[in-house]
């Protein structure tokens, strides 16, 4: 954290807190979808199709701040907020958050935290999906499902991560940057430079 500026730590924390509450809200959405898929023997599909939302803060924080650890730490803060806010899942959310944050961080680490293009953001979501699924396989009792159902759940989580975590995460960050509130952060500076270069061209 010695390379981090105070404002980056503050922003990462704010994002974690905000999305911690958003994550809690989406558990309610997941429950509704869970009930919808239950009669088909695919109850957990209700969560999997929106699972990318529970990785999204990691990509948003990393994309905006662009410092080692941003993805992991933002996800951990969000998980802590969920626990403190009274999530029925309890403290094991911290384990889940750590695994998801680590999975998201790996994509950025592979580029030495220098590449934040869309495909890397999507890979970050996929990393979170791939690393978290084995944990939830055992913690969530997925071993009771037939192999084809487990495969379907896994593929659905990956697709959700690509669309919600990667694509939506980038869209939200870019829209936020366009308002000018991120001028002092890496993403805001990149967009400002891009506009200046386009003007010169």
């Amino acid at each position: 954290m010695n390379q981090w500026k105070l404002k980056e730590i503050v922003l990462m924390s704010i994002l974690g807190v905000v999305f911690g509450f958003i994550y809690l809200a989406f558990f309610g959405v997941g429950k509704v979808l869970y009930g919808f898929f239950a009669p088909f023997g695919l109850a957990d599909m209700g969560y999997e199709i929106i699972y990318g939302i529970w990785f999204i803060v990691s990509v948003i924080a990393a994309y905006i701040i662009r410092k080692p650890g941003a993805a992991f730490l933002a996800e951990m803060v969000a998980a802590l907020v969920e626990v403190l806010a009274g999530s029925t899942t309890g403290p094991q959310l911290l384990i889940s958050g750590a695994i998801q944050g680590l999975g998201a961080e790996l994509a950025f680490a592979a580029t030495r935290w220098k590449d934040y293009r869309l495909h890397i953001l999507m890979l970050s979501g996929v990393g979170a999906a791939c690393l978290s699924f084995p944990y939830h396989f055992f913690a969530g009792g997925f071993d009771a499902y037939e192999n084809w159902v487990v495969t379907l759940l896994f593929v659905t989580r990956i697709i959700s991560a690509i669309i919600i975590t990667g694509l939506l995460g980038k869209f939200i960050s870019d829209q936020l940057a366009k308002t000018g509130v991120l001028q002092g952060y890496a993403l805001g500076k990149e967009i400002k430079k891009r506009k200046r270069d386009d003007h010169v061209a």
Side-chain angles (χ1 to χ4, degrees):
M1 297 288 285
N2 59 338
Q3 297 180 347
W4 285 56
K5 297 177 181 177
L6 178 60
K7 64 181 181 181
E8 293 170 337
I9 296 173
V10 171
L11 178 61
M12 181 274 296
S13 301
I14 291 173
L15 287 171
V17 170
V18 169
F19 278 92
F21 285 105
I22 290 175
Y23 287 2
L24 272 177
F26 268 85
F27 272 114
V29 176
K31 285 182 178 180
V32 173
L33 294 172
Y34 184 96
F36 174 80
F37 283 101
F40 306 101
L42 297 169
D44 283 296
M45 182 64 72
Y47 288 102
E48 295 302 324
I49 61 176
I50 60 170
Y51 219 98
I53 195 68
W54 287 295
F55 310 143
I56 198 170
V57 73
S58 56
V59 161
I60 290 176
Y63 182 47
I64 292 174
I65 299 172
R66 307 191 179 188
K67 292 285 178 68
F72 176 80
L73 291 170
E75 198 70 32
M76 284 301 298
V77 171
L80 180 60
V81 168
E82 288 182 84
V83 173
L84 294 177
S87 171
T88 55
T89 306
Q92 72 181 53
L93 262 176
L94 296 177
I95 299 174
S96 181
I99 293 171
Q100 293 171 183
L102 179 60
E105 191 75 44
L106 289 176
F108 302 114
T111 71
R112 296 186 179 182
W113 296 276
K114 293 180 180 179
D115 192 342
Y116 291 87
R117 289 175 293 174
L118 177 59
H119 71 279
I120 298 298
L121 302 184
M122 291 190 293
L123 279 175
S124 177
V126 171
C130 289
L131 212 63
S132 64
F133 194 83
Y135 170 75
H136 292 123
F137 176 85
F138 295 105
F142 288 5
D143 54 328
Y145 286 120
E146 294 183 34
N147 289 338
W148 73 269
V149 177
V150 174
T151 301
L152 181 60
L153 294 175
F154 178 58
V155 171
T156 301
R157 182 176 295 204
I158 289 177
I159 293 173
S160 179
I162 291 172
I163 296 173
I164 299 178
T165 311
L167 289 172
L168 183 60
K170 183 179 187 301
F171 176 78
I172 291 173
S173 302
D174 287 340
Q175 294 307 305
L176 190 59
K178 287 179 182 179
T179 67
V181 300
L182 299 178
Q183 288 186 9
Y185 301 91
L187 176 59
K189 292 175 182 177
E190 179 189 86
I191 290 179
K192 185 177 180 180
K193 181 179 182 300
R194 195 185 305 158
K195 288 181 179 179
R196 185 171 62 246
D197 291 344
D198 290 342
H199 180 72
V200 172

